[in-house]
Amino acid sequence: MSTPPPPSQPPSGGFGAPQDPPPGGFGAPAPPPAPPQQPPAGYGYPQQPPAGYGYPQQPPAGYGYPQQPPAGYGYPQQQQPGPGTPPPYGQPPTAPPYGQPPTVPVQAARPPAGGNDTRTQLMIVGAALLAIVMIVGGGLWYVSGDGGGTGGQPTANGSPSAGPDGKPQGAGGSEKVPANPKSKPLFNQPNPQPADIANVAGSWLTDSTYVKSDVAKVVGYNVVDGGKKWELPFPGELCGATRHVSDNKTAVLFKAVMPTPENKYPQCTEVGVIDLGTGKLVWSGNAKGATSGDKPVSYYEVTLSGQTVAAAGTAGGAAWNLADGKSLWLPKIDGESCRDAGYAGGEALGVIRKCGQSSSPTLHAQLLDAATGAPTASYKLAPGIEYAGIVSTKPLIVGADVGKTAKNATGLSDLFVIAPSGELKARISLADGTFAGKCASTEVEKCTNMVVGNGKIYVPSYEHQGGQSSSGRTNELLSFDLETGKQTTDRADAGDGFTMFPLRMDGSNVIAYKEPPYDKGGQIVSIDGTTMKETLLMQNPSDKASQRIETAFSPEYSEYRYHNGKLFVSRTTARKPYSDKSDPEYLFVSFTAS
């Protein structure tokens, strides 16, 4: 293992142009409609699984309100609601949502008017109190699952225990509401100008430092004023990075040399671990596989879980110890022509293992022992699935385009929730094009627009027309129960002209970014995982200059990092400007609220 020498040429590049406003312009927000007597189709409320591979056919219906289960293969003619089944619109659930305490109705619907009205209400309240006493006396506690990393434990009063900040764990997140959520620009870093297109993916935000990949280097910036804290050069361009952090360290992929006329496209063979606090390269190295001879194996993605760094490429995967770079396993292809196609990290280490011919592979989604690479759980995906991505490793959730039925270029028709035993727990169909979760066919850990927490997966709806009096676009954040696979009644509205997508969990809350219309600034909101109530954490400026800079970043090709009232938005690719007259372009822009 060695520390690479400085780059052989200075950084350079530029990429992207401001987004045009959506066609049609934007109007004033429409007042919310009153709940109809019979719920019509509309965005946001639970759907039954649409037609797709392995699912019953369903007559088309509008987005949103609960639909009656259709008759067809796999469903009874008239399905009765059961535990975990979302109730009809306007009615209380028949059972508590997954991971939530059972509730007792202490205020029931008002009985018919009459002389016994007061007596009836007292009986209802008395019965409710008795039910509460029975639940407490029997020790019936429910605590939320691992989902968002809340870690709450039951206490004598049945509520989660307090965390380090004194707030109940599982009851919310650590992000505090700024005294003034109206933000101002913090620091904008001009775009580098490489000779050709360069990969600059990778960004990390700590309490004190924003760390960003650049052309053949990684740079740490002070989050207070944007001043450069440190710079780590590499001998070649960066070609991959993981978003995960462990022991304040992260991992990147890079090329051993810069491009030359004789070698225009060097292979991505090197793995390195960076200390985000000091900016030091902890170690770097490569691996040689069974079919590569003396040449190092080339990789296209890297991830991190606990003390294991794992990288994968066309010749299989390899892994190293995070602290010292010691080899844990090397790329190999077994007797069934199986190889590790890609890994996913975080709370556990997952892999998509591809077997057989590349034209008709068999895919296995597995959880691995991070120290040895040995499978601890394995699920075989159906024949015909060519690519699969991993959305989450704990629980293990796999996304795939089954039978090429995904709509709206999402690359995602179905989600598979896999139990620790390797059995399929639930299957969620997204094939109707209503939802905007995405998975790429190029990398296993490149499923976006989805976060997991509270025993649910949160997915935004696909953008659609706003209210009746609006010409703007909008969407909602919705969720599915991971135990049943059914859509819940959760719904958070982006608002007229805004479209939102989730960034990450914050305890049991969801942190989401709202992409603005042409005449407003973007927003960061925290969404309560129980009530779906939105709290504004940041409102970016709406002046033309700030708004133009912010919306020049396309969500599909940018990275968004928010923490402690600061938002950084960065590019993943850099290139030369299209012309000298182009608007100024930035590697990243940032905003701060106080």
Side-chain angles (χ1 to χ4, degrees):
M1 305 299 173
S2 61
T3 301
S8 56
Q9 72 177 42
S12 43
F15 177 75
Q19 305 283 311
D20 292 328
F26 299 87
Q37 291 297 109
Q38 294 295 326
Y43 276 90
Y45 286 91
Q47 311 272 323
Q48 287 298 324
Y53 183 86
Y55 276 94
Q57 299 294 313
Q58 176 180 344
Y63 301 114
Y65 289 88
Q67 309 291 323
Q68 290 298 321
Y73 177 78
Y75 283 98
Q77 288 297 103
Q78 292 188 357
Q79 184 177 358
Q80 298 300 319
T85 303
Y89 177 71
Q91 295 184 18
T94 59
Y98 173 78
Q100 300 296 326
T103 57
V104 179
V106 295
Q107 183 176 12
R110 180 178 298 274
N116 293 328
D117 188 36
T118 303
R119 180 168 177 247
T120 303
Q121 292 186 36
L122 290 173
M123 292 176 64
I124 292 171
V125 173
L129 292 174
L130 178 60
I132 293 173
V133 172
M134 292 176 67
I135 291 173
V136 174
L140 182 58
W141 306 120
Y142 283 74
V143 289
S144 59
D146 169 273
T150 58
Q153 297 297 322
T155 60
N157 62 4
S159 61
S161 58
D165 58 359
K167 297 175 65 175
Q169 293 184 355
S174 61
E175 294 290 350
K176 296 178 175 60
V177 181
N180 181 9
K182 290 186 177 180
S183 71
K184 58 183 179 181
L186 176 60
F187 178 74
N188 301 331
Q189 175 65 25
N191 231 345
Q193 296 189 11
D196 199 354
I197 297 176
N199 185 322
V200 292
S203 56
W204 305 265
L205 180 57
T206 72
D207 288 338
S208 61
T209 309
Y210 175 67
V211 181
K212 175 59 187 161
S213 295
D214 205 316
V215 178
K217 62 182 178 180
V218 175
V219 183
Y221 300 89
N222 190 313
V223 297
V224 176
D225 57 11
K228 186 182 294 186
K229 296 180 67 174
W230 52 260
E231 180 174 311
L232 176 61
F234 288 87
E237 293 178 350
L238 276 294
C239 42
T242 176
R243 68 179 184 272
H244 301 297
V245 176
S246 182
D247 292 344
N248 210 33
K249 299 179 182 69
T250 195
V252 297
L253 300 175
F254 61 97
K255 300 176 182 180
V257 296
M258 294 294 290
T260 64
E262 296 76 23
N263 184 14
K264 293 184 178 180
Y265 305 103
Q267 295 297 302
C268 187
T269 59
E270 308 302 303
V271 179
V273 166
I274 302 171
D275 186 310
L276 296 176
T278 64
K280 302 296 184 182
L281 186 65
V282 180
W283 58 264
S284 65
N286 54 47
K288 296 174 182 178
T291 61
S292 65
D294 293 332
K295 293 183 179 180
V297 173
S298 179
Y299 307 106
Y300 50 71
E301 67 177 321
V302 63
T303 195
L304 171 61
S305 178
Q307 293 299 303
T308 299
V309 176
T314 54
W320 301 261
N321 181 274
L322 174 69
D324 56 15
K326 179 183 177 181
S327 176
L328 299 179
W329 65 84
L330 295 173
K332 62 182 179 180
I333 299 177
D334 63 22
E336 298 179 3
S337 298
C338 294
R339 62 179 178 84
D340 291 353
Y343 301 100
E347 293 187 73
L349 184 63
V351 66
I352 296 297
R353 190 157 176 76
K354 183 177 289 188
C355 300
Q357 301 297 322
S358 58
S359 57
S360 57
T362 299
L363 303 184
H364 301 261
Q366 298 177 337
L367 289 174
L368 303 180
D369 181 317
T372 66
T376 60
S378 185
Y379 175 76
K380 182 179 178 180
L381 295 170
I385 299 178
E386 299 178 4
Y387 305 99
I390 296 179
V391 180
S392 164
T393 56
K394 190 176 181 181
L396 180 59
I397 303 176
V398 175
D401 185 0
V402 180
K404 297 183 178 179
T405 55
K407 295 182 175 62
N408 295 325
T410 62
L412 177 63
S413 69
D414 291 82
L415 295 170
F416 301 86
V417 185
I418 301 167
S421 62
E423 296 177 352
L424 181 66
K425 179 186 292 186
R427 182 172 175 174
I428 300 167
S429 177
L430 307 178
D432 66 351
T434 304
F435 301 93
K438 295 185 178 183
C439 284
S441 61
T442 53
E443 297 179 28
V444 165
E445 201 173 25
K446 203 168 184 179
C447 291
T448 58
N449 278 13
M450 296 172 283
V451 297
V452 176
N454 304 323
K456 306 172 188 178
I457 183 166
Y458 295 90
V459 188
S461 69
Y462 201 78
E463 67 175 52
H464 57 87
Q465 196 69 25
Q468 294 181 352
S469 62
S470 168
S471 58
R473 308 290 289 175
T474 190
N475 75 337
E476 299 79 31
L477 185 67
L478 312 169
S479 76
F480 290 85
D481 187 294
L482 297 180
E483 287 292 315
T484 66
K486 296 181 181 295
Q487 187 181 343
T488 74
T489 55
D490 288 345
R491 169 175 168 152
D493 295 307
D496 191 41
F498 289 87
T499 53
M500 76 161 74
F501 54 90
L503 300 180
R504 60 177 173 84
M505 295 300 297
D506 175 36
S508 60
N509 297 339
V510 182
I511 302 298
Y513 175 77
K514 290 188 178 183
E515 189 178 7
Y518 74 97
D519 58 347
K520 293 182 175 66
Q523 295 179 351
I524 294 288
V525 295
S526 177
I527 303 171
D528 187 289
T530 301
T531 65
M532 298 302 284
K533 178 183 177 182
E534 300 177 32
T535 300
L536 180 66
L537 299 180
M538 176 175 284
Q539 171 63 68
N540 289 339
S542 59
D543 64 276
K544 186 175 181 180
S546 297
Q547 205 271 350
R548 189 174 181 84
I549 289 173
E550 181 178 6
T551 56
F553 289 80
S554 167
E556 292 189 14
Y557 304 101
S558 305
E559 295 173 338
Y560 294 73
R561 303 287 184 259
Y562 176 85
H563 181 52
N564 282 351
K566 292 179 171 58
L567 171 67
F568 289 80
V569 186
S570 67
R571 301 191 187 281
T572 57
T573 308
R575 61 177 301 163
K576 282 185 175 180
Y578 290 104
S579 72
D580 295 337
K581 297 180 180 180
S582 300
D583 289 337
E585 296 176 355
Y586 299 96
L587 176 65
F588 68 82
V589 299
S590 58
F591 301 88
T592 181
S594 57

